[in-house]
Amino acid sequence: MWRDETGRSLADYPHPSVAVDVALLTVVDGTLHVALHRREGHATGELALPGTFVRIDERLADAALRALRDHLEVTGRSPEQLRVFDDPHRDDRGRVLAIAHVDLVDRGVLPTGTETAAVDTCPTLAFDHGAMVAAAAEHVRARHRGSPDPAGLLGAEFTLAELQGLHEAVAGGPLPKDTFRRHVLGDLEPTGGLRTGVVGKPARLFRRAGEPGQPPV
Amino acid sequence: MWRDETGRSLADYPHPSVAVDVALLTVVDGTLHVALHRREGHATGELALPGTFVRIDERLADAALRALRDHLEVTGRSPEQLRVFDDPHRDDRGRVLAIAHVDLVDRGVLPTGTETAAVDTCPTLAFDHGAMVAAAAEHVRARHRGSPDPAGLLGAEFTLAELQGLHEAVAGGPLPKDTFRRHVLGDLEPTGGLRTGVVGKPARLFRRAGEPGQPPV
DNA sequence: ACAAAAGTGTTAGTGTTACACCCATGT
DNA sequence: ACATGGGTGTAACACTAACACTTTTGT
């Protein structure tokens, strides 16, 4: 264990606690929602993002996964770091830095009954979690403007209509059909399959370019 | 002071220390450089970014300013948060999370004799500071692709040639003159002044649109 | 036959790139 | 006069947005 010239280790100096919070976004009824839970312990009953304190030997990503597991019973995702929230009074238990994370998942990975709220009409949340939700929504919206289904919600194969539905839900409004198709087509390749069975012309299936599927001959 | 049900405060739980590090970028000889210093105390003699531990009641921005003042004698800037570096073994004194920051300043604000290194051919640095420099360079390059002189290095008035020189230094390569002018012209307004005295046609002076100068009648 | 959904042709407008050239000044 | 650096005209090309249309299915 390292000691400084006065014999103290790093932990002997007073320093902020560190928490992670995760804005787990999902699409419900065609609009972007965030998964919430009701706090127990401190601030009992308030709606909040799943979060936890970072243990001394834990990576941020692992702490974020632990928060999702403990508060929402969700596993196996990979939240992305957003930024640090550092208002000295954001938590009245003491000085706590919070590192906000985001991820976007299919509704199916949330246990039935999980509480969610639309990101654009979010109720008051504990701490500064409202600001985190806003930052998270802005983040995923920016990513979805740049590439088709960056979070891989749709699985390996999907139709252009399914993809457009997802992007409209994320963006929070309708997108023009023809422009949207031509915009994303460059990043997709047809699998050759068709989605059939419903009324209307069968839709071609696509996958993101450069993914498994048939490897090139 | 808040206590949990076992009578402990937050500080009684073992938790990571938190540091800030600042990649202070500047332009030297037409290329993007980063200001460095030689460490004293732990890791004596190694080249590193200016950094410091965050005090328990201090905001990240204030800690970053303190690091700049103590290690580089630079004051009055406003570094921007980049992201958290959290490898558990990045500091052999114990568990230390580092929140990297960036800023871009005129060479003139650095005391003469300040050590700098070109970001693209950076020597080995202490901790994971090499990765921070790479992230910082990518960040300012992205910002400079989007708007003219976002850091305000050039002051209130400048010619298009001066602006282009700055952007070429940041980008790390030449930019086509005519395209560059037309690209930035939408975000600038002419002040009416001319830069004269040197050989060649006098250059018009510009300012960023929506800044002091003459207020509209 | 008809509704529903997929998919395309076309056009107008806008932005990008690069070539070439003209303009105003100091020496 | 001429070198130096500032500034612009123009044409090819690509991208975007919107309209209207054709195609292929289930009922």
Side-chain angles (χ1 to χ4, degrees):
Chain A
M1 164 75 84
W2 177 90
R3 303 272 171 194
D4 69 8
E5 56 293 348
T6 66
R8 286 181 285 192
S9 75
L10 285 185
D12 294 330
Y13 289 89
H15 55 289
S17 299
V18 182
V20 292
D21 291 299
V22 185
L24 190 66
L25 305 184
T26 191
V27 173
V28 178
D29 298 333
T31 59
L32 196 58
H33 281 231
V34 59
L36 302 169
H37 78 116
R38 294 210 172 263
R39 287 182 62 87
E40 298 158 26
H42 179 257
T44 302
E46 282 195 78
L47 273 175
L49 297 179
T52 189
F53 287 101
V54 178
R55 295 182 180 156
I56 187 140
D57 275 322
E58 191 175 36
R59 296 209 60 147
L60 296 180
D62 295 325
L65 291 176
R66 187 161 55 79
L68 289 179
R69 182 158 33 81
D70 291 352
H71 294 299
L72 297 179
E73 282 137 56
V74 168
T75 58
R77 299 299 314 173
S78 50
E80 209 178 328
Q81 204 185 102
L82 254 187
R83 70 178 180 86
V84 183
F85 286 74
D86 74 327
D87 186 322
H89 304 107
R90 58 176 297 285
D91 189 323
D92 56 25
R93 289 171 292 182
R95 184 75 203 287
V96 181
L97 299 177
I99 299 157
H101 288 68
V102 216
D103 204 355
L104 178 64
V105 300
D106 188 86
R107 173 122 207 229
V109 314
L110 301 180
T112 49
T114 302
E115 202 153 350
T116 67
V119 295
D120 293 325
T121 59
C122 201
T124 304
L125 302 182
F127 310 110
D128 47 7
H129 288 186
M132 291 184 186
V133 170
E138 186 40 55
H139 182 88
V140 310
R141 283 174 172 156
R143 284 183 70 80
H144 281 249
R145 260 174 259 132
S147 67
D149 186 19
L153 246 68
L154 296 178
E157 292 193 340
F158 45 85
T159 69
L160 288 176
E162 290 161 0
L163 181 63
Q164 181 170 355
L166 168 65
H167 278 252
E168 288 178 335
V170 170
L175 299 169
K177 184 176 71 157
D178 47 5
T179 300
F180 177 79
R181 309 173 81 81
R182 289 189 249 247
H183 187 64
V184 297
L185 224 47
D187 297 327
L188 301 177
E189 46 195 33
T191 67
L194 295 176
R195 172 86 78 231
T196 177
V198 287
V199 61
K201 180 170 171 176
R204 287 187 293 162
L205 293 171
F206 293 83
R207 62 168 156 263
R208 278 170 288 279
E211 278 196 9
Q214 268 77 269
V217 233
Chain B
M1 162 76 84
W2 178 89
R3 303 269 171 195
D4 68 10
E5 56 292 351
T6 66
R8 286 181 285 192
S9 75
L10 285 185
D12 294 330
Y13 289 89
H15 55 289
S17 300
V18 181
V20 293
D21 292 298
V22 185
L24 190 66
L25 305 185
T26 191
V27 173
V28 178
D29 298 334
T31 60
L32 197 57
H33 281 231
V34 58
L36 301 170
H37 78 116
R38 294 209 172 263
R39 287 183 62 86
E40 299 158 25
H42 178 255
T44 303
E46 282 195 76
L47 273 175
L49 296 179
T52 189
F53 287 101
V54 178
R55 294 182 182 155
I56 187 139
D57 275 322
E58 191 176 35
R59 295 208 63 145
L60 296 181
D62 295 324
L65 291 176
R66 187 162 55 78
L68 289 179
R69 182 158 33 79
D70 291 354
H71 293 299
L72 296 179
E73 281 137 57
V74 168
T75 58
R77 299 299 313 174
S78 50
E80 210 178 328
Q81 203 184 105
L82 255 185
R83 69 179 180 86
V84 183
F85 286 75
D86 74 328
D87 185 321
H89 303 107
R90 57 176 298 285
D91 189 324
D92 56 26
R93 289 171 293 183
R95 184 75 203 287
V96 181
L97 300 177
I99 299 157
H101 288 68
V102 216
D103 203 357
L104 177 64
V105 300
D106 189 85
R107 172 118 206 235
V109 314
L110 301 180
T112 50
T114 302
E115 204 153 347
T116 68
V119 294
D120 292 324
T121 58
C122 201
T124 304
L125 302 181
F127 310 110
D128 48 7
H129 288 187
M132 291 184 185
V133 170
E138 186 39 54
H139 182 87
V140 309
R141 283 176 173 154
R143 282 183 72 77
H144 281 250
R145 259 174 258 133
S147 68
D149 186 20
L153 245 70
L154 295 177
E157 292 193 339
F158 46 85
T159 68
L160 289 177
E162 290 162 1
L163 181 64
Q164 182 170 354
L166 167 65
H167 279 251
E168 288 179 335
V170 170
L175 299 169
K177 184 176 68 157
D178 47 6
T179 300
F180 177 79
R181 308 173 82 80
R182 287 189 251 248
H183 186 65
V184 297
L185 224 46
D187 297 326
L188 301 178
E189 47 195 33
T191 67
L194 295 175
R195 172 85 80 232
T196 177
V198 288
V199 63
K201 180 170 172 176
R204 287 188 291 164
L205 293 171
F206 293 85
R207 62 170 155 262
R208 278 170 289 278
E211 281 199 7
Q214 268 78 265
V217 235

